[in-house]
Amino acid sequence: MGRIHPEIYFFGAGVAEGRAEMRNLLGGKGANLAEMARLKLPVPPGFTISTKVCNYFYDHGHKYPKGLTEGVAKSVARVEKALGRKFGDAKNPLLVSVRSGARVSMPGMMDTVLNLGLTDETVKGLEQISGNPRFAWDSYRRFCQMFGDVVLKLKPENKNDPDPFEEIIDHKKATRGVKNDTDLNVDDLQELVGEFRALIRSRVGRDIPQDPREQLWMAIGAVFDSWHNDRAITYRKINNIPGDWGTAVTVQSMVFGNLGDDCATGVAFTRDPGTGEKGIYGEYLPNAQGEDVVAGIRTGRQISVKAGREWAKRAGIDEAERAAQFPTLEESFPDVYKQLLQISTRLEKHFRDTQDMEFTIERNRLFMLQTRNGKRTAQAAVRIAVDMADEKLIDRKTALKRVEPEQLEQFLHPRLDPSSKKHVIARGLPASPGAVNGEVVFSADEAVAVAEAGRKVILVRLETSPEDIHGMQVAEGILTARGGMTSHAAVVARGMGKSCVAGVSALEIDYGAGTLSANGAVIRRGEYITLDGSAGEVIEGRVPTVEPEMPAYFKKFLSWADAVRKLGVRANADTPDDAKIARDFGAEGIGLCRTEHMFFDPQRISAVREMIMAENAQQRGRALAKILPMQREDFVGILKAMQGLPVTIRLLDPPLHEFIPHEDNELRDLAAKIGTTLEHLKQVRASLFEVNPMLGHRGSRLGISFPEIYQAQARAIIEAACELRRQGVKAMPEIMLPLIGERREFDILAAQIREVADAVFKERGMKVAYTIGTMIEVPRACVVADQIGEVAEFFSFGTNDLTQMTYGISRDDSGKFLPDYIRTGVYQKDPFAELDPVGVGELMRIGIERGRKSNKKLKIGICGEHGGDPASVKLCHRLGLDYVSCSPYRIPVARLAAAQAAIEASQKKAAFKDV
């Protein structure tokens, strides 16, 4: 049979019109369902409407392309023929699910409707063919709830209100004196259907349609609409997903995990998404539908006996009780378990990546509803990449590309200090690792408000939903009373790198009172708790943390990155402690040591202020004589810590007024310390005032006006290097002049530095190697880089200031309007977070080309905050820089980004050759 419509792709019943490579068109769900059908796996038949229709839908006022209505009708008929059922038939009804599916996984961010096609008439037919009235009415109850929520938009009226449908269910269970949904009988479920529809009529003003075809088109429209719901937009912003990709819609025949005790539904991973350990991992629920597992309303059971025993141990349940009350899939459905193992192994080998699979068991028969590359923590991502490369499933370059560079920051999550006391008030599932603490908040909006006030928060919910995405993004960690390892909270937290403890059954949460209670402890809104996402512990108060240890597979992974990358990676570090951390993380030198940061030490600031307040060079020299030994000591420590690696030391850069007290009482104390009057200091303070300090008397301009400052700093650097040589320690200082925009500036200051160095060499009777270069942060410096390059030995792009001056935007003030520019699409990215390749990048290219034209040995790097941003690192690779420099904790990120840049460049070159 030929294609029914150009934007509809059928799958199942031995046919697959799509394939895995078509994810841009069919979304991840539709493409992989088609691929599983091609592999002859047990997939219920259905069809996918392409992402092109989604874009057409928005571009044409919520209308559909020509012929789509007829195409959907014919596709439904094709599913009917495959299964021998009729859509809307009162005796033998076909029911379908309507699901979203973007090209990348967006778990829970868009909408789904199950059991579509049920009406007052077809529910009777479902009773007859299933022989199970309770199942039929449970399915109808679920359909009414989902249709009311997703399609008719019946939501809680306030953020802290419970779900209106769940509130009715809870009331029904309380009235009947039962605990679980599964304890409700047929009469209860029929009453729930009536109560749900009455609620919909009163709140929405209409009833659920009794025509299945009207239901279908309303659901298709709702799923397309969900591409632009608030949570989907927020998720796309967080994960840099373009808004014009759109979603596909998959319509698939239903299979039922809630027909009875020989039915179940579940989610399984081919490897542990939290640790990366090989082996099937996941949860299932007997007599349930798929949304029950994902939503986390019921805590799932384990797939394997091994996982079940580990879960029971954490929960304090003995083996006999576990086996009797919480049997695993391996125990309850042994044949299905074996089949699932075979399929999971086959899918992982086929896709060459960890798979996240959804399945349903109907009458002891397994059906695969979805497979996708599984979300995972950083720890799991790196371990899986290394293991799969070692297993020869993928090569090392593929392994390096499998991990997002930003994920490596999760490896640097602290862990609880084992020597500290802790009061564990409850235990749950270790859904996502990391030890964090923060104030308790009970809603996503509250989390955002408290986080914006500068305080850390822990988001506490009965269970999270996609509506909570903005609160989850700003929270340090997430705690839920319900849900399992594959619930919404767990999956999203792992993807975000947030600590999460889920399924804490002992937790009682009262949104109205703003309290959580567990085992006698009561924690109120605003009080602190600590989460240990690796152990699943909820701890009262704040527990100290310690730095993490890097596992062997992490070091192995980064060694592969180092073998591939061309860019060097240095650190921005101002103290010996920072330098040591940088070395531990693999820094190949220091790209920026900011000398002014040393001045703010309480033991030094008085001498610095005395230097600034000096009325002449003689007074300034006396103050600098006090500062010199302090600076020398700093440089000895940093140069020694770097063990012979290059250290770029920037001479004083900020304007002098930054060191002066703002309050009169502080100024009065300073006057007494340095023996002058308050009025004199006020006059000096006033004389240092600048309308625009960023463009004022700072950087090398200070060195021109007050040469003794830079001369004293240069002496401290050279003396430190000589002292280390005397100790037998190699040092490689690189002296950097900031804010140079004219060659003559450089000539004057470099000559003074060399004069100082020669004097020190003569005094000490020895020489040490050093270089003098400049920080390129003024646009003019890029244009005249050929002139500066003739005399400078290195360039280091100060991309923070270069961005400010290129855009004409003050970074300190940009928060007032820059978010509006991002929101309205004027700028695609924050230029202070990611290097602008068109403007700033072009200036850098000019500076690099002209500088190297006049000095082929010129070493060039960057030292702005952009040095730890993966996209900016890749731009630096393309521009041909020698190194990037970033904060110590971003070094692993930069190392991987640099490796990926090299791989992408080589693959692009190979592809060009093939053409």
Side-chain angles (χ1 to χ4, degrees), residues 846-884:
I846 291 169
I848 293 163
E849 288 184 359
R850 294 184 181 182
R852 284 189 171 145
K853 187 175 181 180
S854 60
N855 182 353
K856 296 191 185 312
K857 295 181 179 179
L858 191 68
K859 184 165 57 177
I860 305 178
I862 73 164
C863 60
E865 291 301 315
H866 296 100
D869 169 64
S872 303
V873 171
K874 292 179 181 182
L875 174 62
C876 290
H877 173 92
R878 295 194 297 273
L879 289 171
L881 267 67
D882 295 304
Y883 69 87
V884 296

Side-chain angles (χ1 to χ4, degrees), residues 803 806-809 814 817-832 836:
T803 298
T806 303
Y807 275 84
I809 292 175
S814 64
F817 60 88
L818 199 54
D820 296 330
Y821 272 55
I822 304 296
R823 178 179 53 79
T824 57
V826 177
Y827 298 156
Q828 294 300 310
K829 305 281 185 181
D830 178 347
F832 295 108
D836 158 39

Side-chain angles (χ1 to χ4, degrees), residues 740-742 775-786 788 795 847:
I740 292 286
E742 165 63 51
M775 200 167 181
I776 303 288
E777 46 197 330
V778 179
R780 187 179 192 278
C782 297
V783 178
V784 299
D786 52 341
I788 300 172
F795 285 173

Side-chain angles (χ1 to χ4, degrees), residues 146-344:
M146 295 189 82
F147 197 90
D149 175 31
V150 170
V151 181
L152 300 179
K153 311 299 181 189
L154 201 163
K155 309 281 186 184
E157 292 181 322
N158 298 303
K159 292 289 184 182
N160 283 329
D161 288 348
D163 180 275
F165 297 107
E166 288 297 325
E167 196 171 27
I168 292 173
I169 294 172
D170 288 344
H171 178 71
K172 183 68 66 180
K173 288 189 290 189
T175 302
R176 295 291 183 264
V178 298
K179 184 178 180 181
N180 300 313
D181 296 3
T182 50
D183 297 325
L184 296 172
N185 61 32
V186 177
D187 293 337
D188 298 329
L189 295 168
Q190 289 175 341
E191 289 173 9
L192 283 177
V193 168
E195 290 171 28
F196 284 177
R197 290 173 65 183
L199 175 69
I200 291 168
R201 287 193 296 270
S202 67
R203 290 267 296 272
V204 180
R206 64 162 299 170
D207 201 351
I208 294 174
Q210 291 297 298
D211 178 358
R213 284 161 184 79
E214 184 181 356
Q215 293 176 3
L216 178 59
W217 280 105
M218 288 179 71
I220 290 171
V223 172
F224 280 137
D225 264 335
S226 71
W227 177 249
H228 280 305
N229 67 35
D230 289 343
R231 62 183 186 266
I233 291 170
T234 299
Y235 188 88
R236 290 202 296 273
K237 285 180 180 177
I238 293 169
N239 293 280
N240 296 317
I241 298 170
D244 59 0
W245 280 3
T247 181
V249 173
T250 294
V251 179
Q252 187 175 22
S253 54
M254 287 291 301
V255 287
F256 298 100
N258 59 330
L259 266 168
D261 292 339
D262 57 354
C263 303
T265 188
V267 175
F269 292 79
T270 55
R271 303 189 189 219
D272 187 328
T275 67
E277 183 180 354
K278 188 174 183 179
I280 197 162
Y281 172 96
E283 294 168 330
Y284 84 104
L285 282 170
N287 196 19
Q289 285 198 333
E291 290 301 303
D292 295 340
V293 179
V294 176
I297 294 169
R298 291 165 59 189
T299 300
R301 299 180 185 179
Q302 301 302 302
I303 299 287
S304 68
V305 172
K306 178 187 175 186
R309 288 173 177 162
E310 290 173 352
W311 169 83
K313 184 178 180 180
R314 287 193 301 267
I317 298 171
D318 65 38
E319 175 59 15
E321 182 183 356
R322 181 209 64 77
Q325 296 189 22
F326 306 100
T328 63
L329 186 79
E330 184 177 1
E331 293 163 311
S332 297
F333 298 89
D335 292 338
V336 170
Y337 174 77
K338 290 176 184 176
Q339 185 184 5
L340 183 63
L341 278 183
Q342 293 169 351
I343 289 174
S344 67

Side-chain angles (χ1 to χ4, degrees), residues 366-429:
L366 178 65
F367 292 92
M368 302 303 297
L369 305 184
Q370 176 168 278
T371 191
R372 58 189 174 190
N373 294 340
K375 297 280 185 184
R376 63 205 79 170
T377 65
Q379 288 85 346
V382 174
R383 182 174 175 181
I384 289 167
V386 170
D387 286 350
M388 285 191 166
D390 288 344
E391 294 165 18
K392 308 300 182 186
L393 270 177
I394 57 177
D395 60 27
R396 289 184 179 181
K397 288 184 178 180
T398 302
L400 289 170
K401 291 181 68 177
R402 283 278 170 87
V403 180
E404 292 295 330
E406 296 97 331
Q407 282 187 291
L408 297 190
E409 282 194 288
Q410 292 181 37
F411 267 92
L412 313 180
H413 283 319
R415 55 190 176 88
L416 293 182
D417 185 345
S419 65
S420 296
K421 292 182 180 180
K422 60 182 182 180
H423 177 212
V424 178
I425 61 173
R427 287 182 171 85
L429 299 171

Side-chain angles (χ1 to χ4, degrees), residues 687-912:
S687 72
L688 293 173
F689 172 78
E690 293 179 302
V691 174
N692 191 344
M694 186 193 82
L695 301 177
H697 200 186
R698 55 170 285 224
S700 291
R701 297 159 194 171
L702 290 173
I704 295 292
S705 298
F706 309 115
E708 57 272 16
I709 296 177
Y710 276 14
Q711 289 167 12
Q713 289 193 296
R715 173 171 280 276
I717 294 168
I718 300 300
E719 285 183 354
C722 288
E723 172 60 23
L724 287 173
R725 182 181 173 186
R726 187 187 66 77
Q727 297 175 18
V729 178
K730 186 179 179 183
M732 292 180 62
E734 300 178 338
I735 301 173
M736 183 160 69
L737 297 169
L739 215 70
I740 292 286
E742 165 63 51
R743 171 178 170 163
R744 185 62 184 145
E745 284 177 306
F746 187 93
D747 286 338
I748 292 170
L749 296 173
Q752 292 172 358
I753 292 168
R754 291 191 180 100
E755 186 177 342
V756 169
D758 289 343
V760 174
F761 295 158
K762 188 174 181 180
E763 294 164 12
R764 298 293 180 107
M766 66 174 70
K767 288 187 176 183
V768 293
Y770 69 95
T771 57
I772 305 174
T774 182
M775 200 167 181
I776 303 288
E777 46 197 330
V778 179
R780 187 179 192 278
C782 297
V783 178
V784 299
D786 52 341
Q787 299 174 31
I788 300 172
E790 289 178 353
V791 288
E793 293 171 275
F794 66 87
F795 285 173
S796 180
F797 285 98
T799 51
N800 298 337
D801 275 352
L802 185 59
T803 298
Q804 290 193 91
M805 295 189 198
T806 303
Y807 275 84
I809 292 175
S810 165
R811 183 174 59 166
D812 295 333
D813 298 316
S814 64
K816 299 174 182 176
F817 60 88
L818 199 54
D820 296 330
Y821 272 55
I822 304 296
R823 178 179 53 79
T824 57
V826 177
Y827 298 156
Q828 294 300 310
K829 305 281 185 181
D830 178 347
F832 295 108
E834 181 178 315
L835 265 175
D836 158 39
V838 179
V840 178
E842 180 64 12
L843 281 171
M844 291 173 66
R845 184 191 64 77
I846 291 169
I848 293 163
E849 288 184 359
R850 294 184 181 182
R852 284 189 171 145
K853 187 175 181 180
S854 60
N855 182 353
K856 296 191 185 312
K857 295 181 179 179
L858 191 68
K859 184 165 57 177
I860 305 178
I862 73 164
C863 60
E865 291 301 315
H866 296 100
D869 169 64
S872 303
V873 171
K874 292 179 181 182
L875 174 62
C876 290
H877 173 92
R878 295 194 297 273
L879 289 171
L881 267 67
D882 295 304
Y883 69 87
V884 296
S885 187
C886 57
S887 70
Y889 288 94
R890 298 285 288 178
I891 286 169
V893 174
R895 289 165 69 187
L896 178 56
Q900 291 181 349
I903 293 168
E904 290 163 10
S906 66
Q907 290 176 340
K908 187 176 181 179
K909 186 176 180 180
F912 180 78

Side-chain angles (χ1 to χ4, degrees), residues 410-586:
Q410 292 181 37
F411 267 92
L412 313 180
H413 283 319
R415 55 190 176 88
L416 293 182
D417 185 345
S419 65
S420 296
K421 292 182 180 180
K422 60 182 182 180
H423 177 212
V424 178
I425 61 173
R427 287 182 171 85
L429 299 171
S432 188
V436 296
N437 60 59
E439 292 182 27
V440 167
V441 297
F442 293 98
S443 75
D445 289 345
E446 189 183 356
V448 171
V450 176
E452 286 179 347
R455 305 197 303 275
K456 295 180 178 180
V457 299
I458 302 293
L459 179 60
V460 180
R461 301 288 290 165
L462 288 170
E463 72 265 343
T464 62
S465 76
E467 307 292 344
D468 294 318
I469 186 69
H470 56 301
M472 298 175 77
Q473 169 67 9
V474 301
E476 299 295 310
I478 297 120
L479 170 63
T480 66
R482 303 172 184 162
M485 298 292 281
T486 54
S487 64
H488 176 267
V491 171
V492 174
R494 285 195 292 268
M496 288 182 170
K498 304 280 185 180
S499 177
C500 178
V501 178
V504 185
S505 57
L507 213 59
E508 294 182 11
I509 298 170
D510 187 331
Y511 290 144
T515 61
L516 68 87
S517 307
N519 300 313
V522 179
I523 309 294
R524 292 172 176 79
R525 176 184 281 111
E527 294 181 343
Y528 271 77
I529 60 172
T530 297
L531 300 183
D532 186 346
S534 302
E537 293 179 342
V538 183
I539 304 161
E540 190 173 13
R542 285 181 271 197
V543 179
T545 57
V546 295
E547 293 303 314
E549 296 175 355
M550 299 297 107
Y553 62 82
F554 178 75
K555 295 175 181 177
K556 185 177 188 179
F557 181 78
L558 283 179
S559 73
W560 295 352
D562 293 340
V564 172
R565 64 183 169 89
K566 309 297 182 186
L567 273 174
V569 178
R570 298 190 187 185
N572 300 340
D574 307 323
T575 68
D577 287 343
D578 288 345
K580 183 180 182 304
I581 292 169
R583 287 285 291 129
D584 290 344
F585 288 148

